[in-house]
Amino acid sequence: MHFSIPETEVRSGENGSTYVAYNIHVNGVLHCRVRYSQLLGLHEQLKKEYGSNVVPAFPPKKIFTLTPAEVEQRREQLEKYMQAVRQDPLLGASEMFNSFLRKAQQETQQIPTEDVALDICLSNGQKVTVNILTSDQTEDVLDAVATKLDLPDDLVGYFSLFLVREGVDGGLTFVRKLQEFELPYVSITSLRSSEFHILLRKSYWDMAYDSDVMDNRVGLNLLYAQTVSDIERGWILVNKDQHRQLKSLQEKGSKKEFIHLGQTLKYYGYIKFDPCITDFPEKGCQVIVSAGNNELNFHVKLPNEQMKEGSFKVTRMRCWRVTSSQVPIANGTANPCSSAKCEVKLELAFEYLMSKDRLQWVTITSQQAIMMSICLQSMVDELMVKKSGGSIKKMLRKRHNGSIHRTDSQQAVKSPPLLDSPDPNREQIVKLSTKLSSVSLRGISASNSANDISGNDFHGNYAFEGIGDDDL
């Protein structure tokens, strides 16, 4: 998640006095307004719980009223403080920090705690209505949905809630995965738009886990509905013969067989993002990015109208970062504090091992940059759990978006072949190999977009593996 404090406001207090409010934005959207004294109170609580040596330095108090320049300086300092706390694996995951943000979000939106009904969408368009409190956090809402669907407790961790926006053409834009520091009802209500929905979708990447989910009737139905939806949206590529087979299985009600066939199709389990811009293989290229199978897949349109495709494996990414900046919109100004006349520009950049001795930064400019980063981080989390011999059943739902730094001493996880049958023991841990294949980008025909594309990826077989701190 990208935390920022791009602006301040002078607001009136209850006794008629004024104070400076600091607007905390998450992913470029206002999350809450807080006073300096509230953040100072949080800081003191964190110090008491975790110690001064763990908690970052906090901007000092001032005796006299702050000048505009001092307010701006404090804004910058508080922004760095919030980012440092969030990036710390201990502080950022703490209930103390997350409960502070949840309470501040509810107070900012002025939504009282009360019983409400909240609609959660399934992949097939069906809605599940759950009765919750407006103050219920993401995990509470997910549990309520699971209870309503009769999904067993041991399968709840395989699914997550996502904030999505549905276009007029039925297209689906993934905004973000709902996090532990927010209240889903408040988040969706504050957007004040019927375009936005909360969607239940599987949250893992390795299709080997499908077998766990399909052993349960409800899990099977959810996975089947998602597979059908992804095919209908064109996220999974299907040729005419495969389409006939799928239709036949659908008519027979053979859901498991339908999913097994889906697993053999290109882009099964991927999330597809809206068209955006990249600087690879050259600046200004239009690209459609998809995330899945431990990679980011690029479908690039070059300036000469030629179409090319390739993939960047997460195990070959040395690190990545998300940056945001405020840019003036039409008829606006360049004043970064004027939110009404500026929009947030987001970029995801990752350093990629192109060949044995060559690293290169690749940048994607997209309003979904943070969602892409969340996907990368969850892929790494999943790989690391498998590497340690663990299970995602026990993996914490709390995951941090950010940068991973790899060292030569760490081992690599070899990604399983796409067409392998689900086998929980098929992952192998291999030592770092210095024999890395070079990167190539082969052209594909634009007319192949409706069929299974057989173009080669631009990735190698081995790479660094590890996880590091969040550098947002």
Side-chain angles (χ1 to χ4, degrees), residues 125-186:
Q126 180 183 350
K127 290 183 179 180
V128 177
T129 302
V130 292
N131 296 314
I132 61 167
L133 290 173
T134 54
S135 57
D136 279 345
Q137 62 194 72
T138 301
E139 187 171 348
D140 296 331
V141 176
L142 180 60
D143 287 339
V145 176
T147 300
K148 188 69 176 286
L149 294 173
D150 200 24
L151 183 69
D153 290 344
D154 62 344
L155 291 184
V156 175
Y158 288 81
F159 295 88
S160 292
L161 298 175
F162 295 85
L163 179 64
V164 299
R165 185 177 70 247
E166 186 174 1
V168 292
D169 59 351
L172 207 60
T173 297
F174 277 72
V175 180
R176 69 174 184 272
K177 187 173 79 169
L178 295 183
Q179 301 292 313
E180 68 277 9
F181 57 75
E182 63 183 313
L183 310 176
Y185 179 84
V186 177

Side-chain angles (χ1 to χ4, degrees), residues 20 56 97 162 174 240 263 280 288 298 314 348 355 427 432:
V20 176
F97 178 68
F162 295 85
F174 277 72
K240 291 182 179 179
Q263 290 173 332
F280 187 90
I288 294 178
F298 276 31
V314 69
L348 169 70
S355 58
E427 289 282 352
L432 179 66

Side-chain angles (χ1 to χ4, degrees), residues 121-123 158-162 172 174 199-205 226-227 229-230 235 269-272:
C121 295
L122 305 182
S123 296
Y158 288 81
F159 295 88
S160 292
L161 298 175
F162 295 85
L172 207 60
F174 277 72
L199 175 73
L200 179 71
R201 184 180 172 91
K202 75 174 187 179
S203 58
Y204 60 89
W205 301 100
Q226 179 177 315
T227 305
S229 174
D230 287 356
W235 288 16
Y270 282 60
I271 288 179
K272 189 175 182 180

